[in-house]
C-alpha cells in the first residue's frame, strides 16, 4: 500500500487501470512472515490442535507463518527465545526471497521484548538494509498471533 501511494505521488496523472496493475505487481512482490510467542491464540482460533499447542509450547517451538498466495501457511519452526529467533527469521526471510535492501519492515505485537527488538534491528542493519521501519501489528495479526509476535515484511527484487 505504501509503495502504491508512493507511485501515485510520483505520477499523479497515472490512469486508474495502470495504477491498479502496478499495485497488483507490487503486491505479488511483498513477502511477509511472522512467528508467535505462544500457540495459545492459534489454538483458540482452531488453527492448531490442543495437543500440538501443548507440546510445542512446552518445547518452546515457534512456528513461522508465511503469507503465500494470500493464505496463512505454517512453514519452518524455530526454537528458543524471541531474542534469538528474530535475527534468524530476518536472515531466513531475506535469503528465501532475495529482498530489496532499500527497506525492511519489522512487525511486532504488544509484548515483544526490547531485547528481541534490538536483536532484530542489529540483524537487519548487518544484512545491509538501508531503512528499517517498525510497524505495530493490527487487529488481525494480533488476534491470531497474540502478544509478543514478531514479523518481517520485505519486497522481492
Amino acid at each position: 500500500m505504501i509503495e502504491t501511494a508512493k507511485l501515485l505521488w510520483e505520477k499523479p496523472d497515472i490512469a486508474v487501470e495502470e495504477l491498479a496493475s502496478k499495485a497488483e505487481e507490487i503486491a505479488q512482490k511483498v513477502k511477509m512472515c511472522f512467528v508467535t510467542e505462544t500457540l495459545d491464540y492459534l489454538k483458540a482460533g482452531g488453527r492448531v490442535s490442543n495437543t500440538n499447542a501443548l507440546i510445542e509450547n512446552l518445547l518452546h517451538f515457534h512456528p513461522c507463518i508465511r503469507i503465500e498466495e494470500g493464505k496463512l501457511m505454517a512453514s519452518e519452526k524455530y526454537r528458543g527465545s524471541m531474542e534469538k529467533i528474530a535475527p534468524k527469521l530476518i536472515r531466513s526471510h531475506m535469503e528465501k526471497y532475495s529482498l530489496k535492501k532499500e527497506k525492511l519492515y519489522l512487525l511486532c505485537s504488544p509484548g515483544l521484548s526490547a531485547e528481541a527488538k534490538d536483536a532484530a534491528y542489529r540483524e537487519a542493519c548487518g544484512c545491509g538494509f538501508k531503512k528499517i521501519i517498525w510497524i505495530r501489528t493490527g487487529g488481525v495479526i494480533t488476534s491470531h498471533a497474540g502478544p509478543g509476535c514478531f514479523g518481517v515484511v520485505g519486497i522481492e527484487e
Side-chain angles (χ1 to χ4, degrees), residues 30-36 62-68 71-76 78 82 85-97 99 104-108 135 137 141 145 149-155:
V30 173
K31 303 300 177 188
M32 177 185 172
C33 69
F34 62 94
V35 291
T36 62
H62 305 271
C64 177
I65 312 292
R66 295 191 186 278
I67 298 181
E68 302 280 343
K71 297 177 186 168
L72 295 174
M73 307 294 289
S75 60
E76 65 270 28
Y78 293 88
M82 291 301 268
I85 292 168
K88 290 178 187 176
L89 185 65
I90 290 170
R91 186 161 300 281
S92 168
H93 197 61
M94 180 191 75
E95 290 170 357
K96 181 175 177 101
Y97 294 111
L99 301 176
L104 185 70
Y105 298 93
L106 301 178
L107 307 175
C108 67
I135 298 175
T137 58
I141 291 175
C149 168
F150 172 74
V152 182
V153 180
I155 300 175

